[in-house]
Amino acid sequence: MQYPEKLSILDRTFNIVKDYAESFPSELTTEKPNEKAFSANEIVYHLLEVEELWQHRLHQLLSEEKPNFQRINPDELATTHHYNERNFQEGIHEWGKSREDTKELLSALTDDQLSRKGIHSHYGEMDVYRIMDIIAEHDLQHLRQMERTLTLVQDR
Ligand code: NI
């Protein structure tokens, strides 16, 4: 089973994003490339919110028969939850704690629980392994976004 390996990937991708975020120039963390695009701060709080969303979905997976996972609107949440007014370092810290909770939840699953499936309106049917892949890829996707964001906000 490739399970312990997948758990360690969730550590690695988290740490790469965390290291990059911590090295982000502090005076630029709330700078948005344009009105719509996320600042580094908004990216961090998006990662935290999505982490909590996956935890919620994992609980659904365990307690419901083939649950439907609802999509969220990241732009709307960034505005209604005032991501950019929140503290950057605290966001990184909170996300780290939340990632630990995710790993704890995942590492306690039995073989039976690991094979349970839910349905995502965009990704389709998925089990826990697929969810772990999506979380890791999502980390890296937002790492690339943070890199692009720095390039855009430091040159003006
Ligand atoms: Ni995202």
Side-chain angles (χ1 to χ4, degrees):
M1 203 183 285
Q2 29 175 342
Y3 187 51
E5 194 180 307
K6 279 192 190 292
L7 265 183
S8 80
I9 288 173
L10 286 186
D11 257 339
R12 275 152 57 197
T13 56
F14 168 78
N15 280 310
I16 296 169
V17 182
K18 174 181 170 278
D19 287 349
Y20 189 81
E22 286 178 340
S23 74
F24 205 93
S26 56
E27 70 280 11
L28 296 176
T29 53
T30 57
E31 291 290 318
K32 292 166 74 68
N34 59 53
E35 206 183 311
K36 202 170 176 226
F38 278 179
S39 67
N41 201 30
E42 290 173 320
I43 294 170
V44 165
Y45 279 95
H46 167 74
L47 286 162
L48 171 61
E49 183 129 30
V50 169
E51 191 79 30
E52 290 167 349
L53 175 68
W54 281 115
Q55 285 170 18
H56 171 74
R57 288 169 172 169
L58 286 165
H59 286 298
Q60 271 186 287
L61 197 67
L62 299 180
S63 61
E64 298 168 29
E65 214 40 61
K66 276 230 180 156
N68 280 299
F69 299 147
Q70 297 307 314
R71 293 187 81 176
I72 55 161
N73 183 332
D75 295 330
E76 204 176 285
L77 287 172
T79 310
T80 55
H81 293 171
H82 307 285
Y83 288 174
N84 223 12
E85 291 161 36
R86 297 165 75 176
N87 181 278
F88 185 64
Q89 292 300 332
E90 233 165 73
I92 299 171
H93 183 69
E94 288 300 309
W95 181 40
K97 283 201 303 192
S98 192
R99 176 57 54 94
E100 286 304 312
D101 293 342
T102 306
K103 282 166 36 199
E104 207 177 294
L105 175 62
L106 288 167
S107 60
L109 298 178
T110 64
D111 281 349
D112 259 7
Q113 290 173 323
L114 284 166
S115 65
R116 295 178 70 88
K117 290 186 175 65
I119 306 197
H120 189 284
S121 55
H122 176 65
Y123 297 105
E125 190 176 89
M126 59 176 66
D127 60 10
V128 175
Y129 297 112
R130 177 82 179 110
I131 290 174
M132 293 169 87
D133 286 344
I134 291 171
I135 296 173
E137 177 48 40
H138 186 250
D139 288 350
L140 298 177
Q141 181 192 324
H142 285 288
L143 171 69
R144 295 189 288 271
Q145 184 190 18
M146 220 183 287
E147 290 168 346
R148 284 196 307 274
T149 302
L150 180 59
T151 314
L152 292 166
V153 299
Q154 73 184 352
D155 291 340
R156 59 186 185 198

